[in-house]
């Protein structure tokens, strides 16, 4: 700290606050992140690092000039006083209090948003480097309950990590925070209490997916049990009716209208409850995404249409909706399926969204789908939310493979032993017998594991196994701290490739 203070005093030359406008004077060896240097009271606040960790530093001309809302140890030297502020929750709250732009916001009005998903709490800086070059807004903090469990995190930690990195990068144009795939009001409250602004409501437990496979007779008898007014409404509004959109014509048969009622009406009522709850908690400053992607069958455009019309009737305004698309959107690899078929259905999903409030079409498991990105960009007109998560974890492993080959071998070995456990939670079809054995790979070839689909998927699903490994996880995080710059570079390149292929315009 004293060395850092000496460097700051020297660069400041008696005008401490001038460093906020000229952070380059501090030089790269000080460990100070130049974009973070900001005026605070009579002094400055900045993000810095040493060999072990990152921390905030508050510097002022004297002890009384230090901000009392941050906690940490205080040092005086070179005519300055400084507080070394650890990156803990109370200090994150203080940071959000001083710099409102470090808190997540609603991105409802933004045309294109990218769910960046940072399971490690380390990736947002690299994401921002890429996103800063394009006309798209980032959702930096984003985790499902499953991811929280597998990474031993809680929502406050997820939001705090993003806020600290937003401050580090001086990113003032807003970011979102997504409580992903939430199914209950209790879990939604966990996310809202932590300051998350986007809720992705997963309907799988409130919809009746089993009705998808009912015979006509079963649909008939179940539908007959609904109240008379509901039956009348469904039959008058949907049965044997056609709906025309620019680029799509959708007809619901009598049977399909009844089936939709059985499948979705309870889910639409629950969505309305959640929407009202969000309005009560956050006014209009939230984004509600509806996710029906974790179902066994693709979402038919007719079903998408039924759901959004019913939500409209209930006064629910969605920011985005994630259908399950035809074909296979597996984690961390390209699209598997027929592009022509995909395009035909995708056009219909986009037309429905445009005609019903112009919410964003949301693409889950959206990373690395390079073969369908041009179609997705084109047909959404970039009114799009693309959700990614694990691909940034894979880029972290790419850093380890390149910079710490011995550690990578240990991680890979642990993944190979742990994957049966991981497979219980993720649907992938990779044939792991195609993964070349570690012993056959030279250090220079280890990066190839991040190219081959089968090993990508093996590593993708193993994040829980590896991050819960008490021997390996601390060494992994220490290595990531050492190679922070490489991680930023890799993520920058990887996300630029996503944005370019989608056709997002550069700034
Ligand atoms: Zn999803």
């Amino acid at each position: 700290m004293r060395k850092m203070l000496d460097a700051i005093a020297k660069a400041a030359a008696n005008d401490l606050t001038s460093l906020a406008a000229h952070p380059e004077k501090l030089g790269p060896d000080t460990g100070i992140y130049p974009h973070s240097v900001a005026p605070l009271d009579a002094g400055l606040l900045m993000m810095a690092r040493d060999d072990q960790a990152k921390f905030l530093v508050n510097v002022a001309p004297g002890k009384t000039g230090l901000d009392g809302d941050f906690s940490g140890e205080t040092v005086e030297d070179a005519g300055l006083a400084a507080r070394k502020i650890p990156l803990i929750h109370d200090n994150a709250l203080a940071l959000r209090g001083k710099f409102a732009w470090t808190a997540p916001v609603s991105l409802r009005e933004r045309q294109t948003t990218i769910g960046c998903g940072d399971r490690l709490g380390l990736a947002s800086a690299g994401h921002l480097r890429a996103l800063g070059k394009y006309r798209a807004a980032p959702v930096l903090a984003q985790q499902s309950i499953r991811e929280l469990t597998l990474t031993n995190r809680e929502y406050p930690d997820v939001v705090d990590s993003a806020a600290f990195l937003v401050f580090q990068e001086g990113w003032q144009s807003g970011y979102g925070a997504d409580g992903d795939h939430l199914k209950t009001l209790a879990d939604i409250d966990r996310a809202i209490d932590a300051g998350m602004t986007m809720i992705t409501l997963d309907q799988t437990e409130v919809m009746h997916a089993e009705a998808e496979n009912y015979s006509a007779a079963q649909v008939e008898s179940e539908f007959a049990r609904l109240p008379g007014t509901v039956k009348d409404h469904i039959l008058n509004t949907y049965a044997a009716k056609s709906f025309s959109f620019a680029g799509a014509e959708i007809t619901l048969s009598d049977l399909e209208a009844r089936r939709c009622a059985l499948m979705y009406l309870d889910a639409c009522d629950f969505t309305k409850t959640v929407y009202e709850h969000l309005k009560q908690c956050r006014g209009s400053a939230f984004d509600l995404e509806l996710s029906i992607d974790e179902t066994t069958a693709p979402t038919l455009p007719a079903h998408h249409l039924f759901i959004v019309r019913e939500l409209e009737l209930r006064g629910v305004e969605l920011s985005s909706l994630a259908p399950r698309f035809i074909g296979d959107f597996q984690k961390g690899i390209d699209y598997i399926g027929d592009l022509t078929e995909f395009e035909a259905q995708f056009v219909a999903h986009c037309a429905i969204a445009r005609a019903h409030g112009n919410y964003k079409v949301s693409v889950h498991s959206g990373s690395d789908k390079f073969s369908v990105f041009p179609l997705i960009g084109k047909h959404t007109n970039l009114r799009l939310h693309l959700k990614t998560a694990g691909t940034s974890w894979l880029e972290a492993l790419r850093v380890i493979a390149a910079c710490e080959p011995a550690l990578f071998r240990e991680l890979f070995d642990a993944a190979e032993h742990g994957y049966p456990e991981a497979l219980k939670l993720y649907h992938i079809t990779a044939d792991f017998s195609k993964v070349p054995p570690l012993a056959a790979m030279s250090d220079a070839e280890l990066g190839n594991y991040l190219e081959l689909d089968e090993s990508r998927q093996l590593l993708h699903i193993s994040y829980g196994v590896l991050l819960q490994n008490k021997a390996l996880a601390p060494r992994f995080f220490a290595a990531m701290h050492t190679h922070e710059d490489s991680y930023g570079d890799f993520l920058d390149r990887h996300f630029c490739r996503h944005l370019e292929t989608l056709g997002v315009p550069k700034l």
Side-chain angles (χ1 to χ4, degrees), residues 146 180-181 200 202 289 291-294 322-323 331 362-366 387:
R146 171 173 70 185
D180 196 10
H181 277 288
T200 297
D202 183 321
E289 170 160 313
S291 123
I292 39 178
D293 68 306
E294 303 236 325
K331 309 280 179 185
S362 178
V363 177
H364 285 205
S365 301
K387 201 174 285 207

Side-chain angles (χ1 to χ4, degrees), residues 406-467:
L407 175 59
F408 183 84
R409 285 179 190 278
E410 289 185 63
L411 290 165
F412 195 86
D413 188 56
E416 282 202 304
H417 283 92
Y419 78 76
E421 203 46 47
L423 264 182
K424 290 180 192 161
L425 296 173
Y426 282 96
H427 160 71
I428 55 165
T429 55
D431 173 4
F432 290 150
S433 70
K434 289 188 183 155
V435 176
L438 259 183
M441 305 284 270
S442 72
D443 282 356
E445 289 168 335
L446 291 175
N448 295 351
Y449 280 131
L450 279 313
E451 302 300 329
L452 183 74
D453 281 356
E454 285 78 11
S455 42
R456 276 183 79 76
Q457 293 206 300
L458 171 70
L459 290 167
H460 189 289
I461 62 170
S462 299
Y463 68 94
V465 170
L466 299 182
L467 294 176

Side-chain angles (χ1 to χ4, degrees), residues 376-397:
I376 289 173
K378 177 179 158 196
H379 294 300
T380 56
N381 217 349
L382 294 169
R383 183 78 185 139
L384 167 70
H385 182 60
L386 184 81
K387 201 174 285 207
T388 79
T391 203
S392 296
W393 153 249
L394 290 178
E395 289 305 298
L397 291 176

Side-chain angles (χ1 to χ4, degrees), residues 58-120:
N58 181 200
V59 193
K63 231 174 171 171
T64 51
L66 293 175
D67 194 292
D69 290 345
F70 291 100
S71 65
E73 110 198 46
T74 306
V75 190
E76 282 180 285
D77 199 18
L80 294 174
R83 181 166 291 141
K84 184 178 179 182
I85 301 163
L87 303 187
I88 56 174
H89 182 58
D90 284 347
N91 287 328
L93 292 179
L95 182 69
R96 275 180 262 169
K98 306 282 167 191
F99 300 91
W101 46 269
T102 61
V105 294
S106 159
L107 300 174
R108 203 184 292 200
E109 306 305 328
R110 310 291 281 269
Q111 172 79 351
T112 310
T113 48
I114 309 290
C116 297
D118 179 6
R119 291 173 185 155
L120 302 172

Side-chain angles (χ1 to χ4, degrees), residues 221-255:
S221 71
E222 290 294 320
F223 185 77
R225 292 174 205 230
L226 295 177
T229 49
V230 175
K231 282 190 283 199
D232 288 348
H233 160 63
I234 296 299
L235 296 176
N236 292 336
T237 317
Y238 302 105
K241 295 273 193 301
S242 284
F243 302 85
S244 300
F245 306 99
E249 170 93 16
I250 293 165
T251 305
L252 274 91
S253 66
D254 183 78
L255 174 67

